Amino acid sequence: MREILILIVGLTAVLITASLVAGILSWRAPKPLPSTLTNLNQRINAWWVMVLAITVAFFFGRHGMTILFALISFAALREFVTLTHTRRSDHWVLLGMFGIIIPFQYWLVWTAWYGLFTIFIPVYCFLLMPAITALHGDTERFLERVSAQQWAVMISVYCVSHVPALLTLEVPGFEGRNLLLIAFLIIAVQGSDVLQYIFGKLFGRHLMSPKVSPSKTWEGLIGGLVASSLLGALLSFLTPFSPLQAAGVAFIACLMGFLGGLVASAIKRDQGVKDWGHLIEGHGGMMDRADSLVFAAPVFFHTVRYFWT
């Protein structure tokens, strides 16, 4: 609890500083405000909301975090389904995705049933979902519809559920402190997003994948990964890792976070939209904030489980 309080105070101090800097820049800037400053203010306000929500969940421990991320999965899945093509014959599958898959997957997290938690969606759900659709006899764009539904529950539910699942791990010498692993993962991955953006704006010259994400550059990626690895080393006190190990784990998680964001951007391009939704002002939808976690969380979870438990 002492470490969590220090972390919360530190994050609050950072956000207060960012808010003051943004306020001064906005006060001195000509009106109407440039789009960059407007976006900055929106992002800082959204960060206040997100940090507050996570802080409240922290104080409710494992069950609070499980409920919070179940709600995040629900919002993310809703955004994903809204963007994809569905037909009337898909309604039972869609109902099951929201009414059965999400509650059951997070119940497995709640009860720490690791064996079924890891295979429930990628085995049982992936086999039953197309079977239910096929029973309705509607074959129009069948493969496209089934693939979209499977991918939706994979990244919105299965991958995201690995964040609260960190609380079920039994790490020798780290008992009762698993909440700090979640803090480490979120700060490292979300911090990497910010650092990649900053390095890209300052030094970006070579576009990485302009058709997928025109703002991502090689300079931004490399600078962001190096800086976030250093950040991971500084945050090693939140983990059972040494500073060098924490830097390596942060590098892998942030690289996977980048790839997750790139895949999410490709899906949005394919569907012809800029954002997943409009739930968070300045940040788009829930998936726009969670996209860097969807690849990072499972890799981080299994790295900790197989190398430190």
Side-chain angles (χ1 to χ4, degrees), residues 197-263:
Y197 176 80
I198 293 173
F199 277 96
K201 287 294 183 182
L202 293 176
F203 309 108
R205 297 291 183 274
H206 301 87
L207 296 178
M208 174 173 290
S209 185
K211 290 185 178 180
V212 176
S213 184
S215 62
K216 294 187 184 298
T217 64
W218 284 106
E219 293 82 0
L221 173 62
I222 295 171
L225 289 178
V226 171
S228 56
S229 298
L230 294 175
L231 176 63
L234 293 174
L235 295 174
S236 62
F237 69 94
L238 299 176
T239 71
F241 321 139
S242 69
L244 184 60
Q245 290 170 336
V249 171
F251 177 86
I252 294 172
C254 294
L255 177 60
M256 296 306 298
F258 166 80
L259 295 176
L262 196 66
V263 169

Side-chain angles (χ1 to χ4, degrees), residues 33-53:
L33 292 178
S35 59
T36 303
L37 272 179
T38 300
N39 184 261
L40 175 64
N41 286 316
Q42 291 174 336
R43 285 176 176 270
I44 292 173
N45 292 336
W47 268 105
W48 274 110
V49 175
M50 288 187 285
V51 169
L52 178 62

Side-chain angles (χ1 to χ4, degrees), residues 14 16 224:
V14 170
I16 290 174

Side-chain angles (χ1 to χ4, degrees), residues 9 42 47-48 72 90 128-129 136-137 139-140 158 190 196 201 207 214 254 264 273 291:
V9 170
Q42 291 174 336
W47 268 105
W48 274 110
I72 290 173
D90 296 320
L128 288 175
M129 289 166 63
H136 284 83
T139 60
E140 184 175 338
Y158 183 74
Q190 295 294 326
Q196 289 175 36
K201 287 294 183 182
L207 296 178
C254 294
V273 297
D291 59 4

Side-chain angles (χ1 to χ4, degrees), residues 183-201:
F184 176 85
L185 173 63
I186 293 176
I187 293 173
V189 172
Q190 295 294 326
S192 179
D193 279 353
V194 175
L195 291 166
Q196 289 175 36
Y197 176 80
I198 293 173
F199 277 96
K201 287 294 183 182

